Structures are given as C-alpha cells and as structure tokens.
mmCIF file of all heavy atoms in Angstrom:
data_model
loop_
_atom_site.group_PDB
_atom_site.id
_atom_site.type_symbol
_atom_site.label_atom_id
_atom_site.label_comp_id
_atom_site.label_asym_id
_atom_site.label_seq_id
_atom_site.Cartn_x
_atom_site.Cartn_y
_atom_site.Cartn_z
ATOM 1 N N GLN K 1099 3.759 -17.448 -3.372
ATOM 2 C CA GLN K 1099 3.898 -16.322 -2.452
ATOM 3 C C GLN K 1099 4.798 -15.225 -3.017
ATOM 4 O O GLN K 1099 4.766 -14.096 -2.535
ATOM 5 C CB GLN K 1099 4.436 -16.802 -1.104
ATOM 6 C CG GLN K 1099 3.426 -17.547 -0.260
ATOM 7 C CD GLN K 1099 2.210 -16.690 0.036
ATOM 8 O OE1 GLN K 1099 1.116 -16.972 -0.448
ATOM 9 N NE2 GLN K 1099 2.369 -15.634 0.813
ATOM 10 N N ARG K 1100 5.605 -15.558 -4.012
ATOM 11 C CA ARG K 1100 6.465 -14.564 -4.654
ATOM 12 C C ARG K 1100 5.943 -14.166 -6.038
ATOM 13 O O ARG K 1100 6.615 -13.456 -6.776
ATOM 14 C CB ARG K 1100 7.888 -15.131 -4.797
ATOM 15 C CG ARG K 1100 8.603 -15.408 -3.469
ATOM 16 C CD ARG K 1100 9.194 -14.140 -2.893
ATOM 17 N NE ARG K 1100 9.890 -14.405 -1.637
ATOM 18 C CZ ARG K 1100 11.188 -14.683 -1.537
ATOM 19 N NH1 ARG K 1100 11.919 -14.790 -2.638
ATOM 20 N NH2 ARG K 1100 11.738 -14.875 -0.365
ATOM 21 N N ALA K 1101 4.759 -14.632 -6.395
ATOM 22 C CA ALA K 1101 4.207 -14.371 -7.725
ATOM 23 C C ALA K 1101 3.857 -12.891 -7.891
ATOM 24 O O ALA K 1101 3.663 -12.159 -6.916
ATOM 25 C CB ALA K 1101 2.976 -15.236 -7.963
ATOM 26 N N TRP K 1102 3.709 -12.469 -9.131
ATOM 27 C CA TRP K 1102 3.455 -11.056 -9.441
ATOM 28 C C TRP K 1102 2.182 -10.549 -8.793
ATOM 29 O O TRP K 1102 2.103 -9.382 -8.369
ATOM 30 C CB TRP K 1102 3.383 -10.862 -10.951
ATOM 31 C CG TRP K 1102 2.198 -11.544 -11.600
ATOM 32 C CD1 TRP K 1102 2.126 -12.785 -12.124
ATOM 33 C CD2 TRP K 1102 0.884 -10.969 -11.756
ATOM 34 N NE1 TRP K 1102 0.868 -13.057 -12.605
ATOM 35 C CE2 TRP K 1102 0.083 -11.960 -12.394
ATOM 36 C CE3 TRP K 1102 0.305 -9.743 -11.426
ATOM 37 C CZ2 TRP K 1102 -1.259 -11.744 -12.694
ATOM 38 C CZ3 TRP K 1102 -1.040 -9.526 -11.724
ATOM 39 C CH2 TRP K 1102 -1.802 -10.517 -12.362
ATOM 40 N N TYR K 1103 1.161 -11.402 -8.704
ATOM 41 C CA TYR K 1103 -0.105 -10.938 -8.162
ATOM 42 C C TYR K 1103 -0.043 -10.653 -6.673
ATOM 43 O O TYR K 1103 -0.867 -9.881 -6.147
ATOM 44 C CB TYR K 1103 -1.239 -11.922 -8.475
ATOM 45 C CG TYR K 1103 -0.948 -13.373 -8.172
ATOM 46 C CD1 TYR K 1103 -1.033 -13.874 -6.880
ATOM 47 C CD2 TYR K 1103 -0.582 -14.245 -9.193
ATOM 48 C CE1 TYR K 1103 -0.776 -15.204 -6.601
ATOM 49 C CE2 TYR K 1103 -0.319 -15.582 -8.923
ATOM 50 C CZ TYR K 1103 -0.418 -16.056 -7.639
ATOM 51 O OH TYR K 1103 -0.154 -17.382 -7.368
ATOM 52 N N MET K 1104 0.904 -11.256 -5.963
ATOM 53 C CA MET K 1104 1.080 -10.912 -4.553
ATOM 54 C C MET K 1104 1.614 -9.492 -4.421
ATOM 55 O O MET K 1104 1.161 -8.715 -3.563
ATOM 56 C CB MET K 1104 2.032 -11.909 -3.888
ATOM 57 C CG MET K 1104 1.501 -13.333 -3.842
ATOM 58 S SD MET K 1104 -0.030 -13.493 -2.880
ATOM 59 C CE MET K 1104 0.562 -13.114 -1.224
ATOM 60 N N HIS K 1105 2.568 -9.129 -5.263
ATOM 61 C CA HIS K 1105 3.116 -7.775 -5.250
ATOM 62 C C HIS K 1105 2.055 -6.769 -5.714
ATOM 63 O O HIS K 1105 1.930 -5.681 -5.134
ATOM 64 C CB HIS K 1105 4.346 -7.701 -6.154
ATOM 65 C CG HIS K 1105 5.417 -8.671 -5.781
ATOM 66 N ND1 HIS K 1105 6.214 -8.498 -4.666
ATOM 67 C CD2 HIS K 1105 5.817 -9.834 -6.362
ATOM 68 C CE1 HIS K 1105 7.076 -9.512 -4.579
ATOM 69 N NE2 HIS K 1105 6.850 -10.327 -5.594
ATOM 70 N N ALA K 1106 1.296 -7.145 -6.744
ATOM 71 C CA ALA K 1106 0.232 -6.264 -7.230
ATOM 72 C C ALA K 1106 -0.821 -6.039 -6.155
ATOM 73 O O ALA K 1106 -1.296 -4.912 -5.947
ATOM 74 C CB ALA K 1106 -0.403 -6.850 -8.491
ATOM 75 N N GLY K 1107 -1.195 -7.117 -5.451
ATOM 76 C CA GLY K 1107 -2.171 -6.996 -4.380
ATOM 77 C C GLY K 1107 -1.687 -6.093 -3.261
ATOM 78 O O GLY K 1107 -2.470 -5.313 -2.687
ATOM 79 N N ASN K 1108 -0.403 -6.183 -2.958
ATOM 80 C CA ASN K 1108 0.183 -5.339 -1.932
ATOM 81 C C ASN K 1108 0.087 -3.864 -2.324
ATOM 82 O O ASN K 1108 -0.286 -3.008 -1.514
ATOM 83 C CB ASN K 1108 1.648 -5.743 -1.712
ATOM 84 C CG ASN K 1108 2.370 -4.838 -0.742
ATOM 85 O OD1 ASN K 1108 1.856 -4.500 0.326
ATOM 86 N ND2 ASN K 1108 3.579 -4.428 -1.115
ATOM 87 N N VAL K 1109 0.393 -3.554 -3.575
ATOM 88 C CA VAL K 1109 0.343 -2.166 -4.051
ATOM 89 C C VAL K 1109 -1.093 -1.649 -4.049
ATOM 90 O O VAL K 1109 -1.369 -0.533 -3.586
ATOM 91 C CB VAL K 1109 0.951 -2.063 -5.463
ATOM 92 C CG1 VAL K 1109 0.711 -0.668 -6.044
ATOM 93 C CG2 VAL K 1109 2.444 -2.364 -5.425
ATOM 94 N N VAL K 1110 -2.027 -2.464 -4.542
ATOM 95 C CA VAL K 1110 -3.430 -2.047 -4.604
ATOM 96 C C VAL K 1110 -3.987 -1.802 -3.204
ATOM 97 O O VAL K 1110 -4.711 -0.816 -2.960
ATOM 98 C CB VAL K 1110 -4.277 -3.105 -5.346
ATOM 99 C CG1 VAL K 1110 -5.761 -2.817 -5.193
ATOM 100 C CG2 VAL K 1110 -3.895 -3.147 -6.821
ATOM 101 N N LEU K 1111 -3.656 -2.699 -2.261
ATOM 102 C CA LEU K 1111 -4.139 -2.546 -0.889
ATOM 103 C C LEU K 1111 -3.668 -1.231 -0.281
ATOM 104 O O LEU K 1111 -4.447 -0.485 0.324
ATOM 105 C CB LEU K 1111 -3.664 -3.722 -0.033
ATOM 106 C CG LEU K 1111 -3.994 -3.652 1.466
ATOM 107 C CD1 LEU K 1111 -5.501 -3.653 1.685
ATOM 108 C CD2 LEU K 1111 -3.345 -4.813 2.216
ATOM 109 N N ASN K 1112 -2.406 -0.918 -0.462
ATOM 110 C CA ASN K 1112 -1.857 0.300 0.144
ATOM 111 C C ASN K 1112 -2.247 1.554 -0.627
ATOM 112 O O ASN K 1112 -2.288 2.644 -0.042
ATOM 113 C CB ASN K 1112 -0.341 0.168 0.266
ATOM 114 C CG ASN K 1112 0.055 -0.775 1.391
ATOM 115 O OD1 ASN K 1112 -0.036 -0.431 2.562
ATOM 116 N ND2 ASN K 1112 0.467 -1.987 1.028
ATOM 117 N N LEU K 1113 -2.559 1.415 -1.903
ATOM 118 C CA LEU K 1113 -3.150 2.536 -2.631
ATOM 119 C C LEU K 1113 -4.518 2.853 -2.049
ATOM 120 O O LEU K 1113 -4.900 4.026 -1.907
ATOM 121 C CB LEU K 1113 -3.267 2.188 -4.116
ATOM 122 C CG LEU K 1113 -3.917 3.255 -5.013
ATOM 123 C CD1 LEU K 1113 -3.118 4.555 -4.964
ATOM 124 C CD2 LEU K 1113 -4.033 2.743 -6.443
ATOM 125 N N GLY K 1114 -5.244 1.801 -1.680
ATOM 126 C CA GLY K 1114 -6.535 2.006 -1.025
ATOM 127 C C GLY K 1114 -6.401 2.740 0.293
ATOM 128 O O GLY K 1114 -7.248 3.580 0.641
ATOM 129 N N VAL K 1115 -5.335 2.436 1.045
ATOM 130 C CA VAL K 1115 -5.089 3.133 2.312
ATOM 131 C C VAL K 1115 -4.865 4.623 2.048
ATOM 132 O O VAL K 1115 -5.406 5.490 2.757
ATOM 133 C CB VAL K 1115 -3.872 2.518 3.034
ATOM 134 C CG1 VAL K 1115 -3.456 3.389 4.218
ATOM 135 C CG2 VAL K 1115 -4.198 1.105 3.510
ATOM 136 N N THR K 1116 -4.075 4.931 1.028
ATOM 137 C CA THR K 1116 -3.817 6.333 0.684
ATOM 138 C C THR K 1116 -5.115 7.056 0.328
ATOM 139 O O THR K 1116 -5.363 8.183 0.784
ATOM 140 C CB THR K 1116 -2.839 6.417 -0.506
ATOM 141 O OG1 THR K 1116 -1.597 5.830 -0.131
ATOM 142 C CG2 THR K 1116 -2.597 7.859 -0.920
ATOM 143 N N LEU K 1117 -5.943 6.422 -0.478
ATOM 144 C CA LEU K 1117 -7.203 7.037 -0.882
ATOM 145 C C LEU K 1117 -8.156 7.204 0.298
ATOM 146 O O LEU K 1117 -8.933 8.169 0.351
ATOM 147 C CB LEU K 1117 -7.861 6.189 -1.975
ATOM 148 C CG LEU K 1117 -7.097 6.109 -3.305
ATOM 149 C CD1 LEU K 1117 -7.798 5.162 -4.268
ATOM 150 C CD2 LEU K 1117 -6.946 7.498 -3.926
ATOM 151 N N LEU K 1118 -8.093 6.260 1.253
ATOM 152 C CA LEU K 1118 -8.944 6.359 2.436
ATOM 153 C C LEU K 1118 -8.592 7.601 3.246
ATOM 154 O O LEU K 1118 -9.475 8.352 3.685
ATOM 155 C CB LEU K 1118 -8.802 5.103 3.285
ATOM 156 C CG LEU K 1118 -9.649 5.035 4.567
ATOM 157 C CD1 LEU K 1118 -11.145 5.131 4.237
ATOM 158 C CD2 LEU K 1118 -9.348 3.746 5.336
ATOM 159 N N PHE K 1119 -7.299 7.824 3.445
ATOM 160 C CA PHE K 1119 -6.875 9.037 4.150
ATOM 161 C C PHE K 1119 -7.234 10.277 3.325
ATOM 162 O O PHE K 1119 -7.606 11.319 3.875
ATOM 163 C CB PHE K 1119 -5.368 9.004 4.419
ATOM 164 C CG PHE K 1119 -4.980 8.245 5.649
ATOM 165 C CD1 PHE K 1119 -4.544 6.934 5.573
ATOM 166 C CD2 PHE K 1119 -5.048 8.838 6.899
ATOM 167 C CE1 PHE K 1119 -4.171 6.228 6.702
ATOM 168 C CE2 PHE K 1119 -4.681 8.143 8.052
ATOM 169 C CZ PHE K 1119 -4.246 6.828 7.952
ATOM 170 N N GLY K 1120 -7.091 10.136 1.999
ATOM 171 C CA GLY K 1120 -7.416 11.266 1.138
ATOM 172 C C GLY K 1120 -8.878 11.664 1.231
ATOM 173 O O GLY K 1120 -9.229 12.842 1.071
ATOM 174 N N ALA K 1121 -9.740 10.691 1.489
ATOM 175 C CA ALA K 1121 -11.166 10.993 1.632
ATOM 176 C C ALA K 1121 -11.424 11.911 2.813
ATOM 177 O O ALA K 1121 -12.435 12.630 2.852
ATOM 178 C CB ALA K 1121 -11.957 9.688 1.789
ATOM 179 N N PHE K 1122 -10.495 11.900 3.788
ATOM 180 C CA PHE K 1122 -10.599 12.795 4.947
ATOM 181 C C PHE K 1122 -9.681 14.009 4.785
ATOM 182 O O PHE K 1122 -9.441 14.731 5.748
ATOM 183 C CB PHE K 1122 -10.242 12.040 6.233
ATOM 184 C CG PHE K 1122 -11.228 10.973 6.606
ATOM 185 C CD1 PHE K 1122 -11.048 9.650 6.196
ATOM 186 C CD2 PHE K 1122 -12.349 11.280 7.362
ATOM 187 C CE1 PHE K 1122 -11.951 8.661 6.545
ATOM 188 C CE2 PHE K 1122 -13.263 10.299 7.724
ATOM 189 C CZ PHE K 1122 -13.069 8.985 7.299
ATOM 190 N N HIS K 1123 -9.165 14.185 3.568
ATOM 191 C CA HIS K 1123 -8.273 15.306 3.247
ATOM 192 C C HIS K 1123 -6.970 15.272 4.039
ATOM 193 O O HIS K 1123 -6.391 16.319 4.335
ATOM 194 C CB HIS K 1123 -9.003 16.654 3.479
ATOM 195 C CG HIS K 1123 -10.319 16.742 2.765
ATOM 196 N ND1 HIS K 1123 -10.425 16.831 1.395
ATOM 197 C CD2 HIS K 1123 -11.603 16.737 3.247
ATOM 198 C CE1 HIS K 1123 -11.702 16.878 1.046
ATOM 199 N NE2 HIS K 1123 -12.444 16.819 2.151
ATOM 200 N N HIS K 1124 -6.508 14.079 4.336
ATOM 201 C CA HIS K 1124 -5.214 13.897 4.995
ATOM 202 C C HIS K 1124 -4.268 13.188 4.012
ATOM 203 O O HIS K 1124 -3.817 12.071 4.254
ATOM 204 C CB HIS K 1124 -5.374 13.092 6.287
ATOM 205 C CG HIS K 1124 -5.901 13.882 7.446
ATOM 206 N ND1 HIS K 1124 -5.268 13.950 8.666
ATOM 207 C CD2 HIS K 1124 -7.012 14.666 7.566
ATOM 208 C CE1 HIS K 1124 -5.966 14.714 9.496
ATOM 209 N NE2 HIS K 1124 -7.028 15.156 8.838
ATOM 210 N N TRP K 1125 -3.999 13.876 2.915
ATOM 211 C CA TRP K 1125 -3.217 13.253 1.848
ATOM 212 C C TRP K 1125 -1.779 12.970 2.263
ATOM 213 O O TRP K 1125 -1.203 11.946 1.872
ATOM 214 C CB TRP K 1125 -3.239 14.128 0.596
ATOM 215 C CG TRP K 1125 -4.541 14.052 -0.136
ATOM 216 C CD1 TRP K 1125 -5.544 14.988 -0.153
ATOM 217 C CD2 TRP K 1125 -4.997 12.957 -0.934
ATOM 218 N NE1 TRP K 1125 -6.597 14.555 -0.909
ATOM 219 C CE2 TRP K 1125 -6.289 13.310 -1.412
ATOM 220 C CE3 TRP K 1125 -4.456 11.725 -1.296
ATOM 221 C CZ2 TRP K 1125 -7.043 12.479 -2.236
ATOM 222 C CZ3 TRP K 1125 -5.205 10.899 -2.126
ATOM 223 C CH2 TRP K 1125 -6.473 11.272 -2.586
ATOM 224 N N ASN K 1126 -1.169 13.883 3.012
ATOM 225 C CA ASN K 1126 0.227 13.654 3.419
ATOM 226 C C ASN K 1126 0.354 12.379 4.252
ATOM 227 O O ASN K 1126 1.237 11.550 4.012
ATOM 228 C CB ASN K 1126 0.750 14.854 4.220
ATOM 229 C CG ASN K 1126 0.967 16.083 3.351
ATOM 230 O OD1 ASN K 1126 1.129 15.962 2.130
ATOM 231 N ND2 ASN K 1126 0.971 17.260 3.961
ATOM 232 N N THR K 1127 -0.539 12.228 5.236
ATOM 233 C CA THR K 1127 -0.525 11.015 6.047
ATOM 234 C C THR K 1127 -0.847 9.802 5.190
ATOM 235 O O THR K 1127 -0.256 8.726 5.353
ATOM 236 C CB THR K 1127 -1.543 11.122 7.194
ATOM 237 O OG1 THR K 1127 -1.254 12.278 7.975
ATOM 238 C CG2 THR K 1127 -1.492 9.889 8.083
ATOM 239 N N GLY K 1128 -1.777 9.984 4.261
ATOM 240 C CA GLY K 1128 -2.165 8.874 3.396
ATOM 241 C C GLY K 1128 -1.026 8.395 2.517
ATOM 242 O O GLY K 1128 -0.816 7.177 2.352
ATOM 243 N N ILE K 1129 -0.292 9.339 1.957
ATOM 244 C CA ILE K 1129 0.843 8.958 1.096
ATOM 245 C C ILE K 1129 1.923 8.262 1.911
ATOM 246 O O ILE K 1129 2.471 7.227 1.503
ATOM 247 C CB ILE K 1129 1.408 10.202 0.383
ATOM 248 C CG1 ILE K 1129 0.391 10.717 -0.643
ATOM 249 C CG2 ILE K 1129 2.734 9.874 -0.302
ATOM 250 C CD1 ILE K 1129 0.750 12.053 -1.250
ATOM 251 N N LEU K 1130 2.225 8.817 3.088
ATOM 252 C CA LEU K 1130 3.245 8.184 3.950
ATOM 253 C C LEU K 1130 2.800 6.779 4.371
ATOM 254 O O LEU K 1130 3.596 5.831 4.365
ATOM 255 C CB LEU K 1130 3.491 9.048 5.184
ATOM 256 C CG LEU K 1130 4.244 10.362 4.959
ATOM 257 C CD1 LEU K 1130 4.276 11.191 6.234
ATOM 258 C CD2 LEU K 1130 5.666 10.078 4.461
ATOM 259 N N SER K 1131 1.518 6.651 4.728
ATOM 260 C CA SER K 1131 1.012 5.343 5.152
ATOM 261 C C SER K 1131 1.002 4.362 3.993
ATOM 262 O O SER K 1131 1.353 3.184 4.156
ATOM 263 C CB SER K 1131 -0.409 5.490 5.714
ATOM 264 O OG SER K 1131 -0.418 6.290 6.872
ATOM 265 N N GLY K 1132 0.604 4.824 2.815
ATOM 266 C CA GLY K 1132 0.556 3.942 1.648
ATOM 267 C C GLY K 1132 1.924 3.465 1.220
ATOM 268 O O GLY K 1132 2.129 2.262 0.981
ATOM 269 N N VAL K 1133 2.865 4.395 1.141
ATOM 270 C CA VAL K 1133 4.225 4.012 0.737
ATOM 271 C C VAL K 1133 4.863 3.128 1.801
ATOM 272 O O VAL K 1133 5.472 2.099 1.488
ATOM 273 C CB VAL K 1133 5.083 5.268 0.493
ATOM 274 C CG1 VAL K 1133 6.554 4.884 0.272
ATOM 275 C CG2 VAL K 1133 4.563 6.045 -0.712
ATOM 276 N N GLY K 1134 4.716 3.532 3.071
ATOM 277 C CA GLY K 1134 5.285 2.731 4.151
ATOM 278 C C GLY K 1134 4.679 1.342 4.213
ATOM 279 O O GLY K 1134 5.382 0.343 4.394
ATOM 280 N N GLY K 1135 3.365 1.276 4.024
ATOM 281 C CA GLY K 1135 2.696 -0.024 4.042
ATOM 282 C C GLY K 1135 3.139 -0.914 2.896
ATOM 283 O O GLY K 1135 3.302 -2.130 3.062
ATOM 284 N N ALA K 1136 3.337 -0.319 1.710
ATOM 285 C CA ALA K 1136 3.793 -1.101 0.558
ATOM 286 C C ALA K 1136 5.197 -1.653 0.785
ATOM 287 O O ALA K 1136 5.501 -2.802 0.440
ATOM 288 C CB ALA K 1136 3.756 -0.239 -0.702
ATOM 289 N N VAL K 1137 6.068 -0.830 1.373
ATOM 290 C CA VAL K 1137 7.433 -1.278 1.664
ATOM 291 C C VAL K 1137 7.413 -2.425 2.672
ATOM 292 O O VAL K 1137 8.108 -3.440 2.508
ATOM 293 C CB VAL K 1137 8.285 -0.105 2.193
ATOM 294 C CG1 VAL K 1137 9.627 -0.610 2.718
ATOM 295 C CG2 VAL K 1137 8.507 0.923 1.089
ATOM 296 N N ILE K 1138 6.596 -2.273 3.718
ATOM 297 C CA ILE K 1138 6.501 -3.337 4.722
ATOM 298 C C ILE K 1138 5.900 -4.593 4.109
ATOM 299 O O ILE K 1138 6.336 -5.719 4.394
ATOM 300 C CB ILE K 1138 5.656 -2.860 5.921
ATOM 301 C CG1 ILE K 1138 6.400 -1.761 6.674
ATOM 302 C CG2 ILE K 1138 5.338 -4.023 6.860
ATOM 303 C CD1 ILE K 1138 5.588 -1.092 7.762
ATOM 304 N N GLY K 1139 4.907 -4.418 3.247
ATOM 305 C CA GLY K 1139 4.302 -5.572 2.577
ATOM 306 C C GLY K 1139 5.318 -6.342 1.747
ATOM 307 O O GLY K 1139 5.332 -7.589 1.753
ATOM 308 N N GLU K 1140 6.175 -5.617 1.034
ATOM 309 C CA GLU K 1140 7.220 -6.282 0.248
ATOM 310 C C GLU K 1140 8.221 -6.986 1.159
ATOM 311 O O GLU K 1140 8.716 -8.073 0.838
ATOM 312 C CB GLU K 1140 7.934 -5.262 -0.639
ATOM 313 C CG GLU K 1140 7.093 -4.738 -1.785
ATOM 314 C CD GLU K 1140 6.653 -5.843 -2.726
ATOM 315 O OE1 GLU K 1140 7.528 -6.490 -3.340
ATOM 316 O OE2 GLU K 1140 5.431 -6.068 -2.837
ATOM 317 N N ALA K 1141 8.505 -6.356 2.304
ATOM 318 C CA ALA K 1141 9.422 -6.985 3.262
ATOM 319 C C ALA K 1141 8.843 -8.290 3.788
ATOM 320 O O ALA K 1141 9.560 -9.289 3.963
ATOM 321 C CB ALA K 1141 9.712 -6.027 4.421
ATOM 322 N N ILE K 1142 7.535 -8.296 4.042
ATOM 323 C CA ILE K 1142 6.874 -9.520 4.504
ATOM 324 C C ILE K 1142 6.965 -10.601 3.434
ATOM 325 O O ILE K 1142 7.284 -11.766 3.717
ATOM 326 C CB ILE K 1142 5.402 -9.229 4.861
ATOM 327 C CG1 ILE K 1142 5.321 -8.345 6.106
ATOM 328 C CG2 ILE K 1142 4.637 -10.539 5.101
ATOM 329 C CD1 ILE K 1142 3.916 -7.882 6.459
ATOM 330 N N ILE K 1143 6.701 -10.227 2.186
ATOM 331 C CA ILE K 1143 6.738 -11.193 1.090
ATOM 332 C C ILE K 1143 8.133 -11.777 0.912
ATOM 333 O O ILE K 1143 8.309 -12.999 0.822
ATOM 334 C CB ILE K 1143 6.260 -10.532 -0.224
ATOM 335 C CG1 ILE K 1143 4.765 -10.204 -0.156
ATOM 336 C CG2 ILE K 1143 6.549 -11.441 -1.426
ATOM 337 C CD1 ILE K 1143 4.254 -9.371 -1.318
ATOM 338 N N TYR K 1144 9.145 -10.913 0.897
ATOM 339 C CA TYR K 1144 10.498 -11.375 0.588
ATOM 340 C C TYR K 1144 11.218 -12.018 1.770
ATOM 341 O O TYR K 1144 12.238 -12.692 1.582
ATOM 342 C CB TYR K 1144 11.338 -10.226 0.032
ATOM 343 C CG TYR K 1144 11.102 -9.974 -1.434
ATOM 344 C CD1 TYR K 1144 10.400 -8.865 -1.861
ATOM 345 C CD2 TYR K 1144 11.562 -10.876 -2.391
ATOM 346 C CE1 TYR K 1144 10.163 -8.634 -3.213
ATOM 347 C CE2 TYR K 1144 11.341 -10.665 -3.741
ATOM 348 C CZ TYR K 1144 10.642 -9.551 -4.146
ATOM 349 O OH TYR K 1144 10.404 -9.340 -5.487
#
C-alpha cells in the first residue's frame, strides 16, 4: 500500500481529472481538482 506504484497511480488518476476538466476548457478548476485530489490521495495512502 506504500509502494511506488500506489503513488504513481494516484498521480496518474488525478492527472486524468485535470485533463477531463480541460476537455471542457475549465483548466483552472481542473488543475485545482487534480492537485487537491493528488494531495488527498497521498493523505489516504499515508
């Protein structure tokens, strides 16, 4: 649960969230959601 691939998966998942918002031209919301989601994901892991 603390392995590198868990952290990598968390980053990739939230990068996908950013790109999803970007597809609707809401990049600011996408970046905030992606960064916030990645931070929360790391908090869940740790």
